[in-house]
Each structure stands twice: as C-alpha cells, then as structure tokens.
PDB file of all heavy atoms in Angstrom:
ATOM      1  N   MET A   1      -9.667  -6.958  -3.808  1.00  0.00           N
ATOM      2  CA  MET A   1      -9.299  -5.524  -3.451  1.00  0.00           C
ATOM      3  C   MET A   1      -9.106  -5.386  -1.988  1.00  0.00           C
ATOM      4  O   MET A   1      -8.219  -4.714  -1.489  1.00  0.00           O
ATOM      5  CB  MET A   1     -10.528  -4.619  -3.902  1.00  0.00           C
ATOM      6  CG  MET A   1     -10.210  -3.245  -3.760  1.00  0.00           C
ATOM      7  SD  MET A   1      -8.932  -2.693  -4.931  1.00  0.00           S
ATOM      8  CE  MET A   1      -9.933  -2.071  -6.203  1.00  0.00           C
ATOM      9  N   PHE A   2      -9.854  -6.029  -1.085  1.00  0.00           N
ATOM     10  CA  PHE A   2      -9.739  -5.959   0.339  1.00  0.00           C
ATOM     11  C   PHE A   2      -8.502  -6.696   0.704  1.00  0.00           C
ATOM     12  O   PHE A   2      -7.778  -6.189   1.587  1.00  0.00           O
ATOM     13  CB  PHE A   2     -10.863  -6.584   1.180  1.00  0.00           C
ATOM     14  CG  PHE A   2     -10.719  -6.597   2.508  1.00  0.00           C
ATOM     15  CD1 PHE A   2     -10.624  -5.359   3.273  1.00  0.00           C
ATOM     16  CD2 PHE A   2     -10.353  -7.766   3.250  1.00  0.00           C
ATOM     17  CE1 PHE A   2     -10.366  -5.359   4.634  1.00  0.00           C
ATOM     18  CE2 PHE A   2     -10.156  -7.770   4.558  1.00  0.00           C
ATOM     19  CZ  PHE A   2     -10.136  -6.522   5.343  1.00  0.00           C
ATOM     20  N   LEU A   3      -8.127  -7.800   0.066  1.00  0.00           N
ATOM     21  CA  LEU A   3      -6.806  -8.441   0.439  1.00  0.00           C
ATOM     22  C   LEU A   3      -5.670  -7.469   0.146  1.00  0.00           C
ATOM     23  O   LEU A   3      -4.767  -7.376   0.900  1.00  0.00           O
ATOM     24  CB  LEU A   3      -6.678  -9.727  -0.355  1.00  0.00           C
ATOM     25  CG  LEU A   3      -7.634 -10.863  -0.017  1.00  0.00           C
ATOM     26  CD1 LEU A   3      -7.388 -11.995  -1.009  1.00  0.00           C
ATOM     27  CD2 LEU A   3      -7.502 -11.314   1.370  1.00  0.00           C
ATOM     28  N   GLY A   4      -5.670  -6.755  -0.944  1.00  0.00           N
ATOM     29  CA  GLY A   4      -4.669  -5.763  -1.188  1.00  0.00           C
ATOM     30  C   GLY A   4      -4.681  -4.599  -0.108  1.00  0.00           C
ATOM     31  O   GLY A   4      -3.547  -4.205   0.227  1.00  0.00           O
ATOM     32  N   THR A   5      -5.865  -4.295   0.426  1.00  0.00           N
ATOM     33  CA  THR A   5      -5.931  -3.296   1.543  1.00  0.00           C
ATOM     34  C   THR A   5      -5.282  -3.906   2.691  1.00  0.00           C
ATOM     35  O   THR A   5      -4.496  -3.173   3.459  1.00  0.00           O
ATOM     36  CB  THR A   5      -7.357  -2.952   1.719  1.00  0.00           C
ATOM     37  OG1 THR A   5      -7.845  -2.386   0.538  1.00  0.00           O
ATOM     38  CG2 THR A   5      -7.458  -1.995   2.957  1.00  0.00           C
ATOM     39  N   VAL A   6      -5.388  -5.166   3.029  1.00  0.00           N
ATOM     40  CA  VAL A   6      -4.879  -5.845   4.218  1.00  0.00           C
ATOM     41  C   VAL A   6      -3.292  -5.850   4.049  1.00  0.00           C
ATOM     42  O   VAL A   6      -2.589  -5.403   5.000  1.00  0.00           O
ATOM     43  CB  VAL A   6      -5.394  -7.257   4.421  1.00  0.00           C
ATOM     44  CG1 VAL A   6      -4.509  -8.009   5.462  1.00  0.00           C
ATOM     45  CG2 VAL A   6      -6.819  -7.264   4.796  1.00  0.00           C
ATOM     46  N   VAL A   7      -2.794  -6.021   2.932  1.00  0.00           N
ATOM     47  CA  VAL A   7      -1.394  -6.009   2.692  1.00  0.00           C
ATOM     48  C   VAL A   7      -0.834  -4.635   2.865  1.00  0.00           C
ATOM     49  O   VAL A   7       0.189  -4.484   3.581  1.00  0.00           O
ATOM     50  CB  VAL A   7      -1.014  -6.585   1.266  1.00  0.00           C
ATOM     51  CG1 VAL A   7       0.574  -6.366   0.971  1.00  0.00           C
ATOM     52  CG2 VAL A   7      -1.315  -8.108   1.226  1.00  0.00           C
ATOM     53  N   ALA A   8      -1.421  -3.670   2.325  1.00  0.00           N
ATOM     54  CA  ALA A   8      -0.949  -2.289   2.399  1.00  0.00           C
ATOM     55  C   ALA A   8      -1.056  -1.798   3.858  1.00  0.00           C
ATOM     56  O   ALA A   8      -0.108  -1.194   4.348  1.00  0.00           O
ATOM     57  CB  ALA A   8      -1.888  -1.313   1.572  1.00  0.00           C
ATOM     58  N   LEU A   9      -2.159  -2.176   4.526  1.00  0.00           N
ATOM     59  CA  LEU A   9      -2.185  -1.805   6.017  1.00  0.00           C
ATOM     60  C   LEU A   9      -1.182  -2.432   6.825  1.00  0.00           C
ATOM     61  O   LEU A   9      -0.672  -1.862   7.683  1.00  0.00           O
ATOM     62  CB  LEU A   9      -3.606  -2.174   6.531  1.00  0.00           C
ATOM     63  CG  LEU A   9      -4.731  -1.285   6.081  1.00  0.00           C
ATOM     64  CD1 LEU A   9      -6.111  -1.710   6.543  1.00  0.00           C
ATOM     65  CD2 LEU A   9      -4.527   0.249   6.633  1.00  0.00           C
ATOM     66  N   THR A  10      -0.849  -3.749   6.535  1.00  0.00           N
ATOM     67  CA  THR A  10       0.157  -4.495   7.259  1.00  0.00           C
ATOM     68  C   THR A  10       1.517  -3.697   7.079  1.00  0.00           C
ATOM     69  O   THR A  10       2.289  -3.601   8.102  1.00  0.00           O
ATOM     70  CB  THR A  10       0.238  -5.896   6.707  1.00  0.00           C
ATOM     71  OG1 THR A  10      -1.019  -6.509   6.872  1.00  0.00           O
ATOM     72  CG2 THR A  10       1.359  -6.723   7.431  1.00  0.00           C
ATOM     73  N   LYS A  11       1.801  -3.276   6.001  1.00  0.00           N
ATOM     74  CA  LYS A  11       3.100  -2.592   5.730  1.00  0.00           C
ATOM     75  C   LYS A  11       3.113  -1.315   6.639  1.00  0.00           C
ATOM     76  O   LYS A  11       4.125  -0.968   7.178  1.00  0.00           O
ATOM     77  CB  LYS A  11       3.229  -2.263   4.238  1.00  0.00           C
ATOM     78  CG  LYS A  11       3.546  -3.427   3.403  1.00  0.00           C
ATOM     79  CD  LYS A  11       3.715  -3.166   1.979  1.00  0.00           C
ATOM     80  CE  LYS A  11       3.998  -4.441   1.125  1.00  0.00           C
ATOM     81  NZ  LYS A  11       4.139  -3.984  -0.278  1.00  0.00           N
ATOM     82  N   ARG A  12       2.034  -0.653   6.581  1.00  0.00           N
ATOM     83  CA  ARG A  12       1.920   0.687   7.352  1.00  0.00           C
ATOM     84  C   ARG A  12       2.077   0.383   8.838  1.00  0.00           C
ATOM     85  O   ARG A  12       2.768   1.068   9.595  1.00  0.00           O
ATOM     86  CB  ARG A  12       0.640   1.423   7.038  1.00  0.00           C
ATOM     87  CG  ARG A  12       0.595   1.950   5.674  1.00  0.00           C
ATOM     88  CD  ARG A  12       1.539   3.188   5.470  1.00  0.00           C
ATOM     89  NE  ARG A  12       1.209   4.404   6.093  1.00  0.00           N
ATOM     90  CZ  ARG A  12       0.437   5.258   5.668  1.00  0.00           C
ATOM     91  NH1 ARG A  12      -0.148   5.212   4.523  1.00  0.00           N
ATOM     92  NH2 ARG A  12       0.183   6.391   6.458  1.00  0.00           N
ATOM     93  N   ILE A  13       1.252  -0.705   9.376  1.00  0.00           N
ATOM     94  CA  ILE A  13       1.340  -1.020  10.728  1.00  0.00           C
ATOM     95  C   ILE A  13       2.730  -1.423  11.205  1.00  0.00           C
ATOM     96  O   ILE A  13       3.235  -0.970  12.199  1.00  0.00           O
ATOM     97  CB  ILE A  13       0.261  -2.099  11.039  1.00  0.00           C
ATOM     98  CG1 ILE A  13      -1.141  -1.487  10.879  1.00  0.00           C
ATOM     99  CG2 ILE A  13       0.455  -2.707  12.382  1.00  0.00           C
ATOM    100  CD1 ILE A  13      -2.211  -2.560  10.795  1.00  0.00           C
ATOM    101  N   ARG A  14       3.300  -2.299  10.415  1.00  0.00           N
ATOM    102  CA  ARG A  14       4.657  -2.756  10.758  1.00  0.00           C
ATOM    103  C   ARG A  14       5.674  -1.633  10.677  1.00  0.00           C
ATOM    104  O   ARG A  14       6.701  -1.585  11.423  1.00  0.00           O
ATOM    105  CB  ARG A  14       5.139  -3.854   9.778  1.00  0.00           C
ATOM    106  CG  ARG A  14       4.294  -5.202  10.200  1.00  0.00           C
ATOM    107  CD  ARG A  14       4.645  -6.388   9.396  1.00  0.00           C
ATOM    108  NE  ARG A  14       3.881  -7.553   9.805  1.00  0.00           N
ATOM    109  CZ  ARG A  14       3.815  -8.704   9.168  1.00  0.00           C
ATOM    110  NH1 ARG A  14       4.614  -8.782   8.131  1.00  0.00           N
ATOM    111  NH2 ARG A  14       3.101  -9.694   9.600  1.00  0.00           N
ATOM    112  N   ALA A  15       5.523  -0.666   9.794  1.00  0.00           N
ATOM    113  CA  ALA A  15       6.467   0.482   9.730  1.00  0.00           C
ATOM    114  C   ALA A  15       6.380   1.367  10.961  1.00  0.00           C
ATOM    115  O   ALA A  15       7.334   1.999  11.312  1.00  0.00           O
ATOM    116  CB  ALA A  15       6.175   1.274   8.419  1.00  0.00           C
ATOM    117  N   CYS A  16       5.206   1.271  11.661  1.00  0.00           N
ATOM    118  CA  CYS A  16       5.106   1.902  12.934  1.00  0.00           C
ATOM    119  C   CYS A  16       5.320   0.984  14.163  1.00  0.00           C
ATOM    120  O   CYS A  16       4.938   1.302  15.282  1.00  0.00           O
ATOM    121  CB  CYS A  16       3.570   2.478  13.033  1.00  0.00           C
ATOM    122  SG  CYS A  16       3.166   3.741  11.804  1.00  0.00           S
ATOM    123  N   GLU A  17       6.023  -0.140  13.888  1.00  0.00           N
ATOM    124  CA  GLU A  17       6.374  -1.107  14.857  1.00  0.00           C
ATOM    125  C   GLU A  17       5.197  -1.774  15.513  1.00  0.00           C
ATOM    126  O   GLU A  17       5.279  -2.055  16.689  1.00  0.00           O
ATOM    127  CB  GLU A  17       7.286  -0.510  15.932  1.00  0.00           C
ATOM    128  CG  GLU A  17       8.745  -0.068  15.286  1.00  0.00           C
ATOM    129  CD  GLU A  17       9.694   0.402  16.350  1.00  0.00           C
ATOM    130  OE1 GLU A  17       9.287   0.536  17.512  1.00  0.00           O
ATOM    131  OE2 GLU A  17      10.792   0.732  16.002  1.00  0.00           O
ATOM    132  N   GLY A  18       4.143  -1.922  14.758  1.00  0.00           N
ATOM    133  CA  GLY A  18       2.912  -2.560  15.220  1.00  0.00           C
ATOM    134  C   GLY A  18       2.711  -3.921  14.680  1.00  0.00           C
ATOM    135  O   GLY A  18       3.668  -4.478  14.001  1.00  0.00           O
ATOM    136  N   SER A  19       1.603  -4.553  14.990  1.00  0.00           N
ATOM    137  CA  SER A  19       1.304  -5.930  14.538  1.00  0.00           C
ATOM    138  C   SER A  19      -0.136  -6.005  14.276  1.00  0.00           C
ATOM    139  O   SER A  19      -0.933  -5.211  14.646  1.00  0.00           O
ATOM    140  CB  SER A  19       1.838  -6.994  15.565  1.00  0.00           C
ATOM    141  OG  SER A  19       1.121  -6.723  16.715  1.00  0.00           O
ATOM    142  N   LEU A  20      -0.406  -7.095  13.448  1.00  0.00           N
ATOM    143  CA  LEU A  20      -1.854  -7.240  13.004  1.00  0.00           C
ATOM    144  C   LEU A  20      -2.196  -8.657  13.126  1.00  0.00           C
ATOM    145  O   LEU A  20      -1.457  -9.638  12.622  1.00  0.00           O
ATOM    146  CB  LEU A  20      -2.038  -6.871  11.505  1.00  0.00           C
ATOM    147  CG  LEU A  20      -3.330  -7.217  10.940  1.00  0.00           C
ATOM    148  CD1 LEU A  20      -4.407  -6.319  11.533  1.00  0.00           C
ATOM    149  CD2 LEU A  20      -3.322  -6.971   9.318  1.00  0.00           C
ATOM    150  N   ARG A  21      -3.272  -8.993  13.713  1.00  0.00           N
ATOM    151  CA  ARG A  21      -3.897 -10.420  13.829  1.00  0.00           C
ATOM    152  C   ARG A  21      -5.200 -10.318  13.163  1.00  0.00           C
ATOM    153  O   ARG A  21      -5.886  -9.260  13.167  1.00  0.00           O
ATOM    154  CB  ARG A  21      -4.050 -10.793  15.263  1.00  0.00           C
ATOM    155  CG  ARG A  21      -2.645 -11.063  15.948  1.00  0.00           C
ATOM    156  CD  ARG A  21      -2.850 -11.458  17.391  1.00  0.00           C
ATOM    157  NE  ARG A  21      -1.464 -11.853  18.093  1.00  0.00           N
ATOM    158  CZ  ARG A  21      -1.339 -12.309  19.221  1.00  0.00           C
ATOM    159  NH1 ARG A  21      -2.429 -12.327  20.029  1.00  0.00           N
ATOM    160  NH2 ARG A  21      -0.212 -12.635  19.628  1.00  0.00           N
ATOM    161  N   ILE A  22      -5.634 -11.519  12.581  1.00  0.00           N
ATOM    162  CA  ILE A  22      -6.909 -11.572  11.923  1.00  0.00           C
ATOM    163  C   ILE A  22      -7.808 -12.607  12.571  1.00  0.00           C
ATOM    164  O   ILE A  22      -7.349 -13.800  12.766  1.00  0.00           O
ATOM    165  CB  ILE A  22      -6.677 -11.873  10.374  1.00  0.00           C
ATOM    166  CG1 ILE A  22      -5.852 -10.770   9.808  1.00  0.00           C
ATOM    167  CG2 ILE A  22      -8.006 -12.048   9.731  1.00  0.00           C
ATOM    168  CD1 ILE A  22      -5.494 -11.002   8.237  1.00  0.00           C
ATOM    169  N   VAL A  23      -9.009 -12.262  12.751  1.00  0.00           N
ATOM    170  CA  VAL A  23     -10.009 -13.123  13.370  1.00  0.00           C
ATOM    171  C   VAL A  23     -10.851 -13.539  12.143  1.00  0.00           C
ATOM    172  O   VAL A  23     -11.542 -12.638  11.599  1.00  0.00           O
ATOM    173  CB  VAL A  23     -10.882 -12.527  14.504  1.00  0.00           C
ATOM    174  CG1 VAL A  23     -12.016 -13.408  14.895  1.00  0.00           C
ATOM    175  CG2 VAL A  23      -9.984 -12.139  15.712  1.00  0.00           C
ATOM    176  N   CYS A  24     -10.882 -14.863  11.908  1.00  0.00           N
ATOM    177  CA  CYS A  24     -11.558 -15.305  10.670  1.00  0.00           C
ATOM    178  C   CYS A  24     -11.957 -16.771  10.992  1.00  0.00           C
ATOM    179  O   CYS A  24     -11.243 -17.685  10.585  1.00  0.00           O
ATOM    180  CB  CYS A  24     -10.755 -15.166   9.509  1.00  0.00           C
ATOM    181  SG  CYS A  24     -11.409 -15.626   7.982  1.00  0.00           S
ATOM    182  N   PRO A  25     -13.104 -16.972  11.610  1.00  0.00           N
ATOM    183  CA  PRO A  25     -13.551 -18.289  11.924  1.00  0.00           C
ATOM    184  C   PRO A  25     -14.140 -19.112  10.706  1.00  0.00           C
ATOM    185  O   PRO A  25     -14.124 -20.333  10.733  1.00  0.00           O
ATOM    186  CB  PRO A  25     -14.610 -18.097  12.932  1.00  0.00           C
ATOM    187  CG  PRO A  25     -15.170 -16.817  12.748  1.00  0.00           C
ATOM    188  CD  PRO A  25     -14.037 -16.020  12.276  1.00  0.00           C
ATOM    189  N   SER A  26     -14.321 -18.488   9.672  1.00  0.00           N
ATOM    190  CA  SER A  26     -14.953 -19.127   8.485  1.00  0.00           C
ATOM    191  C   SER A  26     -13.845 -19.867   7.652  1.00  0.00           C
ATOM    192  O   SER A  26     -12.896 -19.156   7.224  1.00  0.00           O
ATOM    193  CB  SER A  26     -15.682 -18.058   7.604  1.00  0.00           C
ATOM    194  OG  SER A  26     -15.794 -18.564   6.297  1.00  0.00           O
ATOM    195  N   ALA A  27     -14.012 -21.090   7.457  1.00  0.00           N
ATOM    196  CA  ALA A  27     -12.961 -21.938   6.628  1.00  0.00           C
ATOM    197  C   ALA A  27     -13.025 -21.359   5.120  1.00  0.00           C
ATOM    198  O   ALA A  27     -12.020 -21.227   4.481  1.00  0.00           O
ATOM    199  CB  ALA A  27     -13.266 -23.342   6.671  1.00  0.00           C
ATOM    200  N   ARG A  28     -14.180 -20.948   4.709  1.00  0.00           N
ATOM    201  CA  ARG A  28     -14.367 -20.437   3.338  1.00  0.00           C
ATOM    202  C   ARG A  28     -13.583 -19.095   3.292  1.00  0.00           C
ATOM    203  O   ARG A  28     -12.792 -18.907   2.239  1.00  0.00           O
ATOM    204  CB  ARG A  28     -15.891 -20.153   3.040  1.00  0.00           C
ATOM    205  CG  ARG A  28     -16.145 -19.658   1.682  1.00  0.00           C
ATOM    206  CD  ARG A  28     -17.575 -19.574   1.373  1.00  0.00           C
ATOM    207  NE  ARG A  28     -18.284 -18.767   2.340  1.00  0.00           N
ATOM    208  CZ  ARG A  28     -18.554 -17.498   2.301  1.00  0.00           C
ATOM    209  NH1 ARG A  28     -17.974 -16.828   1.347  1.00  0.00           N
ATOM    210  NH2 ARG A  28     -19.229 -16.901   3.201  1.00  0.00           N
ATOM    211  N   MET A  29     -13.565 -18.225   4.201  1.00  0.00           N
ATOM    212  CA  MET A  29     -12.830 -16.955   4.113  1.00  0.00           C
ATOM    213  C   MET A  29     -11.346 -17.228   4.313  1.00  0.00           C
ATOM    214  O   MET A  29     -10.502 -16.653   3.548  1.00  0.00           O
ATOM    215  CB  MET A  29     -13.254 -16.048   5.360  1.00  0.00           C
ATOM    216  CG  MET A  29     -14.620 -15.595   5.137  1.00  0.00           C
ATOM    217  SD  MET A  29     -14.695 -14.205   4.094  1.00  0.00           S
ATOM    218  CE  MET A  29     -15.735 -13.261   5.070  1.00  0.00           C
ATOM    219  N   ARG A  30     -10.920 -18.159   5.189  1.00  0.00           N
ATOM    220  CA  ARG A  30      -9.524 -18.432   5.305  1.00  0.00           C
ATOM    221  C   ARG A  30      -9.045 -19.065   3.939  1.00  0.00           C
ATOM    222  O   ARG A  30      -7.898 -18.869   3.590  1.00  0.00           O
ATOM    223  CB  ARG A  30      -9.253 -19.468   6.377  1.00  0.00           C
ATOM    224  CG  ARG A  30      -9.381 -18.828   7.757  1.00  0.00           C
ATOM    225  CD  ARG A  30      -8.836 -19.691   8.847  1.00  0.00           C
ATOM    226  NE  ARG A  30      -9.159 -19.199  10.109  1.00  0.00           N
ATOM    227  CZ  ARG A  30      -8.682 -19.674  11.277  1.00  0.00           C
ATOM    228  NH1 ARG A  30      -7.764 -20.616  11.175  1.00  0.00           N
ATOM    229  NH2 ARG A  30      -8.977 -19.111  12.409  1.00  0.00           N
ATOM    230  N   ALA A  31      -9.745 -19.770   3.230  1.00  0.00           N
ATOM    231  CA  ALA A  31      -9.425 -20.279   1.927  1.00  0.00           C
ATOM    232  C   ALA A  31      -9.175 -19.180   0.958  1.00  0.00           C
ATOM    233  O   ALA A  31      -8.184 -19.252   0.085  1.00  0.00           O
ATOM    234  CB  ALA A  31     -10.557 -21.139   1.380  1.00  0.00           C
ATOM    235  N   VAL A  32      -9.764 -18.050   1.038  1.00  0.00           N
ATOM    236  CA  VAL A  32      -9.498 -16.919   0.136  1.00  0.00           C
ATOM    237  C   VAL A  32      -8.104 -16.434   0.552  1.00  0.00           C
ATOM    238  O   VAL A  32      -7.281 -16.124  -0.418  1.00  0.00           O
ATOM    239  CB  VAL A  32     -10.584 -15.678   0.360  1.00  0.00           C
ATOM    240  CG1 VAL A  32     -10.156 -14.503  -0.372  1.00  0.00           C
ATOM    241  CG2 VAL A  32     -11.940 -16.143  -0.097  1.00  0.00           C
ATOM    242  N   PHE A  33      -7.706 -16.291   1.783  1.00  0.00           N
ATOM    243  CA  PHE A  33      -6.369 -15.902   2.125  1.00  0.00           C
ATOM    244  C   PHE A  33      -5.398 -16.867   1.588  1.00  0.00           C
ATOM    245  O   PHE A  33      -4.257 -16.619   1.109  1.00  0.00           O
ATOM    246  CB  PHE A  33      -6.236 -15.686   3.602  1.00  0.00           C
ATOM    247  CG  PHE A  33      -6.731 -14.489   4.123  1.00  0.00           C
ATOM    248  CD1 PHE A  33      -8.118 -14.300   4.621  1.00  0.00           C
ATOM    249  CD2 PHE A  33      -5.985 -13.256   4.259  1.00  0.00           C
ATOM    250  CE1 PHE A  33      -8.598 -13.173   5.059  1.00  0.00           C
ATOM    251  CE2 PHE A  33      -6.561 -12.075   4.640  1.00  0.00           C
ATOM    252  CZ  PHE A  33      -7.807 -12.043   5.180  1.00  0.00           C
ATOM    253  N   ALA A  34      -5.614 -18.196   1.745  1.00  0.00           N
ATOM    254  CA  ALA A  34      -4.718 -19.339   1.283  1.00  0.00           C
ATOM    255  C   ALA A  34      -4.596 -19.244  -0.223  1.00  0.00           C
ATOM    256  O   ALA A  34      -3.395 -19.291  -0.675  1.00  0.00           O
ATOM    257  CB  ALA A  34      -5.364 -20.628   1.740  1.00  0.00           C
ATOM    258  N   HIS A  35      -5.630 -19.159  -0.952  1.00  0.00           N
ATOM    259  CA  HIS A  35      -5.532 -19.097  -2.456  1.00  0.00           C
ATOM    260  C   HIS A  35      -4.810 -17.864  -2.940  1.00  0.00           C
ATOM    261  O   HIS A  35      -4.322 -17.880  -4.013  1.00  0.00           O
ATOM    262  CB  HIS A  35      -6.924 -19.109  -3.056  1.00  0.00           C
ATOM    263  CG  HIS A  35      -7.589 -20.466  -2.875  1.00  0.00           C
ATOM    264  ND1 HIS A  35      -7.067 -21.689  -3.040  1.00  0.00           N
ATOM    265  CD2 HIS A  35      -8.813 -20.779  -2.443  1.00  0.00           C
ATOM    266  CE1 HIS A  35      -7.957 -22.677  -2.787  1.00  0.00           C
ATOM    267  NE2 HIS A  35      -9.047 -22.053  -2.330  1.00  0.00           N
ATOM    268  N   SER A  36      -4.835 -16.839  -2.281  1.00  0.00           N
ATOM    269  CA  SER A  36      -4.031 -15.617  -2.584  1.00  0.00           C
ATOM    270  C   SER A  36      -2.595 -15.645  -2.122  1.00  0.00           C
ATOM    271  O   SER A  36      -1.839 -14.755  -2.534  1.00  0.00           O
ATOM    272  CB  SER A  36      -4.738 -14.376  -1.950  1.00  0.00           C
ATOM    273  OG  SER A  36      -4.518 -14.372  -0.592  1.00  0.00           O
ATOM    274  N   GLY A  37      -2.204 -16.671  -1.388  1.00  0.00           N
ATOM    275  CA  GLY A  37      -0.831 -16.787  -0.935  1.00  0.00           C
ATOM    276  C   GLY A  37      -0.519 -16.014   0.257  1.00  0.00           C
ATOM    277  O   GLY A  37       0.594 -15.896   0.743  1.00  0.00           O
ATOM    278  N   LEU A  38      -1.641 -15.516   1.018  1.00  0.00           N
ATOM    279  CA  LEU A  38      -1.465 -14.713   2.133  1.00  0.00           C
ATOM    280  C   LEU A  38      -1.489 -15.426   3.441  1.00  0.00           C
ATOM    281  O   LEU A  38      -1.220 -14.931   4.542  1.00  0.00           O
ATOM    282  CB  LEU A  38      -2.323 -13.535   2.165  1.00  0.00           C
ATOM    283  CG  LEU A  38      -2.145 -12.444   1.090  1.00  0.00           C
ATOM    284  CD1 LEU A  38      -3.324 -11.508   1.066  1.00  0.00           C
ATOM    285  CD2 LEU A  38      -0.805 -11.792   1.239  1.00  0.00           C
ATOM    286  N   ALA A  39      -2.089 -16.637   3.516  1.00  0.00           N
ATOM    287  CA  ALA A  39      -2.255 -17.321   4.688  1.00  0.00           C
ATOM    288  C   ALA A  39      -1.182 -17.552   5.568  1.00  0.00           C
ATOM    289  O   ALA A  39      -1.285 -17.384   6.883  1.00  0.00           O
ATOM    290  CB  ALA A  39      -2.952 -18.729   4.403  1.00  0.00           C
ATOM    291  N   ASP A  40       0.022 -17.692   5.042  1.00  0.00           N
ATOM    292  CA  ASP A  40       1.245 -17.902   5.864  1.00  0.00           C
ATOM    293  C   ASP A  40       1.834 -16.608   6.402  1.00  0.00           C
ATOM    294  O   ASP A  40       2.729 -16.625   7.260  1.00  0.00           O
ATOM    295  CB  ASP A  40       2.328 -18.635   5.094  1.00  0.00           C
ATOM    296  CG  ASP A  40       1.945 -20.026   4.750  1.00  0.00           C
ATOM    297  OD1 ASP A  40       1.099 -20.635   5.518  1.00  0.00           O
ATOM    298  OD2 ASP A  40       2.479 -20.583   3.885  1.00  0.00           O
ATOM    299  N   SER A  41       1.312 -15.416   6.046  1.00  0.00           N
ATOM    300  CA  SER A  41       1.746 -14.140   6.470  1.00  0.00           C
ATOM    301  C   SER A  41       1.100 -13.587   7.719  1.00  0.00           C
ATOM    302  O   SER A  41       1.485 -12.610   8.165  1.00  0.00           O
ATOM    303  CB  SER A  41       1.607 -13.137   5.312  1.00  0.00           C
ATOM    304  OG  SER A  41       2.343 -13.558   4.139  1.00  0.00           O
ATOM    305  N   TYR A  42      -0.034 -14.216   8.076  1.00  0.00           N
ATOM    306  CA  TYR A  42      -0.831 -13.762   9.229  1.00  0.00           C
ATOM    307  C   TYR A  42      -1.147 -14.805  10.250  1.00  0.00           C
ATOM    308  O   TYR A  42      -1.090 -15.983   9.819  1.00  0.00           O
ATOM    309  CB  TYR A  42      -2.075 -13.173   8.672  1.00  0.00           C
ATOM    310  CG  TYR A  42      -1.932 -12.017   7.713  1.00  0.00           C
ATOM    311  CD1 TYR A  42      -1.845 -12.190   6.331  1.00  0.00           C
ATOM    312  CD2 TYR A  42      -1.702 -10.703   8.306  1.00  0.00           C
ATOM    313  CE1 TYR A  42      -1.592 -11.068   5.575  1.00  0.00           C
ATOM    314  CE2 TYR A  42      -1.412  -9.601   7.455  1.00  0.00           C
ATOM    315  CZ  TYR A  42      -1.340  -9.844   6.119  1.00  0.00           C
ATOM    316  OH  TYR A  42      -1.046  -8.704   5.335  1.00  0.00           O
TER     317      TYR A  42
END
C-alpha cells in the first residue's frame, strides 16, 4: 500500500517539475522495492 503511495506521489511531484530521492539503508527494505519492480525507478 505504501509502495503504491510512493508511485502516486512520484507522479504528482514530477508533474510539478520536482524530484524524489529515497533514503533506505536497509537491504531488506530495498528488496521490497526490488521485488515490486520499483528499484530501477528511484
């Protein structure tokens, strides 16, 4: 559910000519982004 929120926010931020970076030092958390197919987008 949060991953969907990140995608929706990214669209809104980019529509406003902004950008988003993610701080995520946990390998376990990064794996969640990777398994969802989002790792290459951020």
Side-chain angles (χ1 to χ4, degrees):
M1 189 65 98
F2 177 70
L3 292 177
T5 298
V6 170
V7 171
L9 287 173
T10 300
K11 289 178 182 179
R12 293 289 291 271
I13 290 167
R14 289 181 178 170
C16 294
E17 297 184 355
S19 58
L20 174 68
R21 292 179 171 180
I22 299 175
V23 174
C24 186
S26 164
R28 185 174 51 87
M29 294 277 228
R30 285 192 190 192
V32 173
F33 281 93
H35 293 310
S36 68
L38 294 174
D40 292 337
S41 300
Y42 296 95

